[in-house]
Amino acid sequence: MVDAGFDRVHVTYRFPLTAGEDPKARAREMAREQTVEVPEGCFPPEFEGAVVAEVAGVERVGEGVVEVRLTYSREVAGGGVPQLLNLLLGNVSMFERVRVVDIGWPDWVGEIAAGPAFGVDGVRRLTGVFGRPLLATAVKPLGHTVEELARRCREFVLGGLDIVKDDHSLADQEWAPFAERVARCQEAVAKAGGEAGSEALYVPHLSGPFEELPWRVERLRALGCRAVMVHPAILGWDVVRWLAAESGLAVFTHPTFSGPLWAVPDTGIAPEILLGDLLRLLGSDVVVYPNAAGRFPITLQEVNAIAARLRRPWEGIRPALPMLGGGIDLERVGEWASRFGPDTVLLVGSSLYAQGDLRAASSRLRQAIETRSIGRHSS
Amino acid sequence: MVDAGFDRVHVTYRFPLTAGEDPKARAREMAREQTVEVPEGCFPPEFEGAVVAEVAGVERVGEGVVEVRLTYSREVAGGGVPQLLNLLLGNVSMFERVRVVDIGWPDWVGEIAAGPAFGVDGVRRLTGVFGRPLLATAVKPLGHTVEELARRCREFVLGGLDIVKDDHSLADQEWAPFAERVARCQEAVAKAGGEAGSEALYVPHLSGPFEELPWRVERLRALGCRAVMVHPAILGWDVVRWLAAESGLAVFTHPTFSGPLWAVPDTGIAPEILLGDLLRLLGSDVVVYPNAAGRFPITLQEVNAIAARLRRPWEGIRPALPMLGGGIDLERVGEWASRFGPDTVLLVGSSLYAQGDLRAASSRLRQAIETRSIGRHSS
């Protein structure tokens, strides 16, 4: 739900009832658990609605399964992104099998987080790619030297890829320490882009100790980087908002460590809400997540639902790009491009590496997508 | 597992096999997924072991259920706490039903995080409480003014409680903004402690925007606070290590938002590993989590397993205190004290509030634990 003119945050929780349980009593218990966390009678009547979540709906949606809609006031959400997440899935996260399945956003949520600083259009301008899906890969594997990683970056860009991101396993290991790696890879991508006549984008992975993140971002900016990738489930969710608001870099988010929060049925937050609505609201320009044909048990329906949430109209919040990885290779790149449409980043990894010659493999991939795009436009 | 003289991080993953699946092939796939993330043949042979995780064991532990032990080299863990967590549960977090069930720590893990700065002994010295469980409560509910919250702090301390923590829903709402709340509550607890002849500890909840955390910690120190509480699943896991290393404050961690990571069977990280080993390693002096008799579906076995991990001998890493909340009241406080032993913080909330007179209720609770302690010591 979106743009419904809500003045409160509407959150729908789905859960199974235990035998004989009264769903209304449970809804009321959850409303207190998520806000005042004291029993009935231990707060003044005027806290109802203003502080205690309001039970706006209780509906049976299947055999013994209930959806409860709680609404939260603007005042209880005070405290930024951390308190917003605490409201959505605070202590109720420890009730087995409670899942946030929908959120209705009020207009004022933009005060908490303002969405992507670049968005779909901004990333297209950064990369100079219009009218077709963007092609991306990950530079890897961990274990190679900075020289070898930079060489690979160059090959990918000369072959025609639009985006080269660090693999998320590249942190600050001795084989390729952070500062040296990002300097050399940024240089390689910029230089190769100049030679190839492209605006290819290097996306360094930002990780490391909490207190070092600000200077690492400064380092990226000083090097001329235009983007950054983080893993919010480890680094902290508000890091995404901070980067979007203050770094001037396009923000890519990676889903490592986050699986239990969205990939397990009946638990956590539905994938399209967490990876769609929430990461977009926080400011992720490009949300990396698994494609349905890859190694992870995500369904095509879920993949599409996330992409739809990233792109749909949302007053005041720019649309974001899904970056889909897994099962995308030369044979099937056209099929996936048709399926997901132009406002998509297709992440091709293993199938490029398996071909050995990275430049030639990238070039074939680029050609496949160009041919397909031209074919589609002229048909 | 601990103190086994490992030179690598040993991680045991448990998961169900699908029909006909070869557990060794799956183990090998996971070993690559968590490190190089490229297929066989796409990395040089010398990466084996040095970079690619090593499969140290594959064992059937039940009908169709397997435990795989992967070991990671010191070098791949380079990059601090975020990379350590990424190694433990990176992309495999998105495989449905994979759970980390054990970790064997190498001696050098202390280079990544050094454990609690205070630990059990340090928190006892801070509070002046020895030989019995510590008694704690949460000041709440959200919605009250700073004056009322400070008044409640005073009542709890005059009644004899050892620790008053902010409820984790207190962030920076207009009813009780952060800076004003922590100043007044700290003052109230310190003053009441002076009157009561105790060293009662106020534990402010630190939340808020990423870039504001450092100055908020400075503010706490300037106010004379001696402790702080954070929710690492939202703020970021490395915040715990940073606070332990740099704040000079005793660090309390709260489990809000973290449920899907540990409370759902077959998923994420076993509770005793995440809330026990990991939070302790990161530097949590006091780990808040649900008691088995409360509102959350945690078992007594799990509660005990977490507490055992927090307190067990671990070379170079101080023991931490479990803070158990849920189902603890005047009637049963003695029972829980016996069950969990003296190195425990008993968190009593609802049952105090339900009695109305907070000072009298706190006093009865304190008396119950003293009587029990004396009784136990003389028997």
Side-chain angles (χ1 to χ4, degrees):
Chain A
M1 292 179 290
V2 72
D3 292 341
F6 292 133
D7 64 346
R8 298 166 66 92
V9 185
H10 288 233
V11 185
T12 306
Y13 301 90
R14 183 183 298 162
F15 53 89
L17 289 172
T18 54
E21 191 176 24
D22 173 6
K24 286 189 181 143
R26 177 75 180 280
R28 178 79 193 152
E29 184 198 345
M30 288 172 67
R32 291 196 312 273
E33 185 70 51
Q34 288 289 92
T35 50
V36 289
E37 218 193 320
V38 288
E40 299 283 0
C42 293
F43 51 86
E46 64 267 25
F47 280 22
E48 293 291 350
V51 184
V52 185
E54 199 167 68
V55 179
V58 176
E59 197 183 344
R60 286 181 190 268
V61 294
E63 189 59 52
V65 178
V66 169
E67 284 186 4
V68 162
R69 186 144 62 108
L70 301 185
T71 76
Y72 300 99
S73 72
R74 186 175 193 156
E75 289 74 18
V76 298
V81 168
Q83 171 59 9
L84 178 66
L85 294 179
N86 183 47
L87 270 187
L88 299 181
L89 193 71
N91 277 357
V92 300
S93 79
M94 294 180 282
F95 289 136
E96 199 184 321
R97 302 217 282 162
V98 169
R99 171 172 262 202
V100 173
V101 294
D102 203 2
I103 302 180
W105 298 104
D107 300 340
W108 51 261
V109 77
E111 293 168 15
I112 297 177
F118 290 82
V120 175
D121 291 348
V123 173
R124 289 204 177 279
R125 279 194 300 272
L126 274 185
T127 53
V129 178
F130 300 93
R132 63 162 172 85
L134 289 88
L135 292 176
T137 194
V139 60
K140 55 187 174 183
L142 174 66
H144 278 305
T145 60
V146 167
E147 287 67 33
E148 177 59 18
L149 295 174
R151 188 191 70 76
R152 291 172 177 222
C153 285
R154 176 176 170 79
E155 295 296 297
F156 289 128
V157 174
L158 291 179
L161 299 193
D162 307 307
I163 295 173
V164 181
K165 73 170 190 68
D166 279 345
D167 194 48
H168 72 282
S169 65
L170 299 173
D172 201 11
Q173 295 93 345
E174 59 187 35
W175 299 293
F178 171 78
E180 196 187 336
R181 181 181 87 243
V182 297
R184 295 292 303 278
C185 290
Q186 168 61 21
E187 184 189 29
V189 169
K191 186 157 175 288
E195 293 173 33
S198 80
E199 299 286 333
L201 187 66
Y202 169 58
V203 188
H205 176 220
L206 173 68
S207 180
F210 168 82
E211 67 274 32
E212 293 190 14
L213 298 182
W215 80 251
R216 289 187 184 218
V217 171
E218 279 312 303
R219 179 93 193 129
L220 297 181
R221 293 164 51 96
L223 290 168
C225 292
R226 298 177 293 152
V228 64
M229 182 177 79
V230 287
H231 40 44
I234 296 176
L235 288 189
W237 298 88
D238 197 51
V239 169
V240 180
R241 181 209 51 80
W242 169 69
L243 287 169
E246 304 204 3
S247 73
L249 306 172
V251 179
F252 289 54
T253 49
H254 191 282
T256 184
F257 198 76
S258 75
L261 289 166
W262 60 267
V264 180
D266 305 335
T267 300
I269 302 177
E272 69 274 20
I273 305 296
L274 184 68
L275 304 177
D277 274 16
L278 274 166
L279 284 179
R280 176 179 171 188
L281 176 67
L282 266 50
S284 181
D285 296 289
V286 180
V287 177
V288 183
Y289 64 95
N291 186 17
R295 313 181 293 279
F296 301 100
I298 191 170
T299 65
L300 187 58
Q301 191 182 5
E302 289 171 322
V303 170
N304 281 323
I306 298 165
R309 293 267 181 164
L310 292 175
R311 299 171 183 144
R312 67 180 174 163
W314 186 350
E315 182 69 31
I317 308 288
R318 292 189 182 87
L321 284 162
M323 183 193 272
L324 294 162
I328 301 174
D329 58 16
L330 185 63
E331 297 301 312
R332 283 176 290 177
V333 70
E335 173 196 335
W336 292 115
S338 302
R339 204 186 280 270
F340 296 129
D343 288 341
T344 308
V345 186
L346 299 172
L347 174 63
V348 187
S350 297
S351 77
L352 290 180
Y353 285 98
Q355 293 174 63
D357 182 335
L358 300 179
R359 191 190 307 193
S362 301
S363 178
R364 282 190 288 270
L365 194 71
R366 171 69 182 274
Q367 193 138 15
I369 202 104
E370 291 281 358
T371 313
R372 196 210 137 268
S373 299
I374 293 163
R376 191 199 45 176
H377 285 161
S378 59
S379 67
Chain B
M1 290 179 290
V2 71
D3 292 340
F6 291 133
D7 63 346
R8 297 167 66 92
V9 185
H10 288 233
V11 185
T12 305
Y13 301 91
R14 182 183 299 162
F15 53 89
L17 289 173
T18 54
E21 192 177 24
D22 173 7
K24 285 189 180 142
R26 176 75 181 280
R28 179 77 193 152
E29 184 198 343
M30 288 173 66
R32 291 196 312 273
E33 185 70 52
Q34 289 287 92
T35 51
V36 288
E37 218 192 320
V38 288
E40 299 283 1
C42 293
F43 51 85
E46 64 267 25
F47 280 23
E48 293 291 348
V51 185
V52 185
E54 199 167 69
V55 179
V58 177
E59 197 184 344
R60 286 181 190 267
V61 294
E63 190 60 51
V65 178
V66 169
E67 284 187 3
V68 162
R69 186 143 61 108
L70 301 185
T71 76
Y72 300 98
S73 72
R74 186 175 193 155
E75 290 74 18
V76 299
V81 167
Q83 171 59 8
L84 178 66
L85 293 179
N86 183 47
L87 269 187
L88 299 181
L89 193 70
N91 278 357
V92 301
S93 79
M94 294 181 281
F95 290 135
E96 199 184 321
R97 301 218 283 161
V98 168
R99 172 172 260 201
V100 173
V101 294
D102 203 3
I103 302 180
W105 298 104
D107 299 340
W108 50 261
V109 78
E111 293 168 15
I112 297 176
F118 290 82
V120 176
D121 291 348
V123 173
R124 289 203 177 280
R125 278 193 301 272
L126 273 185
T127 53
V129 178
F130 299 92
R132 63 162 173 86
L134 289 88
L135 292 177
T137 194
V139 61
K140 55 187 175 184
L142 175 66
H144 279 304
T145 61
V146 166
E147 287 66 33
E148 176 59 19
L149 295 173
R151 188 191 70 76
R152 290 172 179 223
C153 285
R154 177 175 169 80
E155 295 296 297
F156 290 129
V157 173
L158 291 180
L161 299 193
D162 307 307
I163 296 173
V164 181
K165 73 169 189 67
D166 278 345
D167 193 48
H168 72 282
S169 64
L170 300 173
D172 201 11
Q173 294 93 345
E174 59 188 35
W175 299 293
F178 172 78
E180 196 188 334
R181 181 182 86 244
V182 298
R184 294 292 302 279
C185 290
Q186 167 62 20
E187 183 188 30
V189 169
K191 186 157 176 287
E195 293 173 33
S198 81
E199 298 286 333
L201 187 67
Y202 169 58
V203 188
H205 176 220
L206 172 69
S207 180
F210 167 83
E211 67 273 31
E212 292 190 14
L213 298 183
W215 80 250
R216 289 188 184 218
V217 171
E218 279 313 304
R219 179 93 195 129
L220 296 181
R221 293 164 51 96
L223 291 167
C225 292
R226 299 176 293 152
V228 64
M229 182 177 78
V230 287
H231 40 44
I234 296 176
L235 288 189
W237 298 88
D238 197 50
V239 169
V240 180
R241 180 208 51 78
W242 169 69
L243 288 169
E246 303 205 3
S247 73
L249 306 171
V251 180
F252 289 54
T253 50
H254 191 282
T256 184
F257 199 77
S258 75
L261 289 166
W262 60 267
V264 180
D266 305 334
T267 300
I269 302 178
E272 69 273 20
I273 305 296
L274 184 69
L275 303 177
D277 273 17
L278 274 166
L279 284 180
R280 175 178 171 189
L281 176 68
L282 266 51
S284 181
D285 296 290
V286 180
V287 177
V288 183
Y289 63 96
N291 186 19
R295 311 180 294 279
F296 302 100
I298 191 171
T299 65
L300 187 59
Q301 191 182 7
E302 289 170 323
V303 169
N304 281 324
I306 297 165
R309 292 268 181 161
L310 291 175
R311 300 171 182 142
R312 68 181 174 162
W314 187 349
E315 182 69 32
I317 307 289
R318 292 188 181 89
L321 283 162
M323 182 192 272
L324 294 162
I328 301 174
D329 58 16
L330 186 64
E331 296 301 311
R332 282 176 292 177
V333 69
E335 172 196 335
W336 292 116
S338 301
R339 205 186 280 270
F340 297 129
D343 288 341
T344 308
V345 186
L346 299 173
L347 174 63
V348 186
S350 297
S351 76
L352 291 180
Y353 285 99
Q355 293 175 63
D357 181 335
L358 300 179
R359 191 190 308 195
S362 301
S363 178
R364 283 190 288 271
L365 194 71
R366 172 68 182 273
Q367 193 139 15
I369 202 103
E370 292 280 359
T371 313
R372 195 210 138 268
S373 299
I374 293 163
R376 190 198 46 175
H377 284 160
S378 59
S379 68

